[in-house]
Amino acid sequence: IAGTSRLPDIGHRERRPFDVPGLLLGSVGLAVFVLGVGQGSDWGWTSVPTIVCVLGGALSLGLFVVHELRAVDPLIDLRMFQQRSFKLAVGVIMMTTGVSFGRMVFFPLMLQQLRGYSAFEVGLVLIAPALTGAVTMRIGGSLVDAIGPRRPIVIGCVGMAVSLVPLTQLRLTTPLWLIVLGLCALAGTWGLTTSPSFIAGLSELPPRLLSQGSAVR
């Protein structure tokens, strides 16, 4: 409700045919590939279902790429990856998001399964890192206006690498406050890269590709 009433309706608008073949190839290929990778440890990595899902999904995704490059009105215009800044920004986002999965997935599992915390207690532990990331995302956006995206991205990535070092030394006896402090450092430096990389990635795209670039990002 707030977004509908407060956010301005701006940007490029156009009517074009919906790319049904692209949707089917991309969604089916991704779903089948992820199914094969996700169930491979249970089915067996050399079992027929795993091989069929992984190879079939990869083939479908490959056909999706070929189709999107040839389609007049593609679901996702992959030509946007010809823009150097967009490619670099997507790479940074993939890298930093992958690192952040340790904070968002594996640390909660560790706290629950190895330390015996409840899901509610783990949620309370993760409040501070989440707030830290939210604050530094705003700081990163402000820095882009002042000094551009390059330095905030570099500082944030270096900070993430440094903050990971003490997290590799955690033990079951490590005080909880140290874990929270380490997660805050990781979340804070991740937040510093988010807005700058997003802005840098979209800065060189033409207006008609901004919505697709945002979705890919």
Side-chain angles (χ1 to χ4, degrees), residues 103 123-139 180 183-185 187-191:
R103 171 175 57 89
L124 294 177
V125 169
L126 296 180
I127 287 178
L131 292 176
T132 304
V135 171
T136 55
M137 285 176 66
R138 184 174 181 85
I139 294 174
V180 173
L183 294 178
C184 285
T189 49
W190 168 80

Side-chain angles (χ1 to χ4, degrees), residues 35-175:
L35 176 65
V37 173
Q39 297 297 319
S41 57
D42 294 329
W43 294 346
W45 291 107
T46 57
S47 66
V48 173
T50 300
I51 294 175
V52 169
C53 286
V54 172
L55 294 182
L59 176 61
S60 181
L61 290 174
L63 293 175
F64 168 77
V65 172
V66 173
H67 170 76
E68 294 301 284
L69 291 175
R70 294 180 177 179
V72 177
D73 295 296
L75 182 69
I76 299 176
D77 193 342
L78 298 179
R79 296 175 185 85
M80 71 179 75
F81 284 95
Q82 294 175 350
Q83 298 288 345
R84 181 173 179 271
S85 61
F86 184 77
K87 288 189 293 187
L88 291 174
V90 170
V92 170
I93 292 169
M94 289 178 61
M95 178 184 67
T96 55
T97 301
V99 172
S100 295
F101 267 108
R103 171 175 57 89
M104 296 183 288
V105 178
F106 298 113
F107 272 94
L109 292 176
M110 181 268 289
L111 292 174
Q112 284 186 262
Q113 297 181 4
L114 299 183
R115 293 204 171 201
Y117 288 90
S118 67
F120 178 73
E121 291 171 330
V122 172
L124 294 177
V125 169
L126 296 180
I127 287 178
L131 292 176
T132 304
V135 171
T136 55
M137 285 176 66
R138 184 174 181 85
I139 294 174
S142 300
L143 288 175
V144 172
D145 296 333
I147 60 176
R150 178 179 298 178
R151 278 181 283 180
I153 292 175
V154 172
I155 294 171
C157 289
V158 172
M160 289 186 71
V162 172
S163 65
L164 283 173
V165 175
L167 292 177
T168 64
Q169 305 301 313
L170 297 182
R171 301 290 184 268
L172 290 178
T173 56
T174 301

Side-chain angles (χ1 to χ4, degrees), residues 86 89 93 149 153 193-203 210 213-215 217:
F86 184 77
I93 292 169
I153 292 175
T193 69
T194 303
S195 295
S197 58
F198 183 78
I199 295 171
L202 299 181
S203 61
L210 288 179
S214 299
R217 178 263 181 201

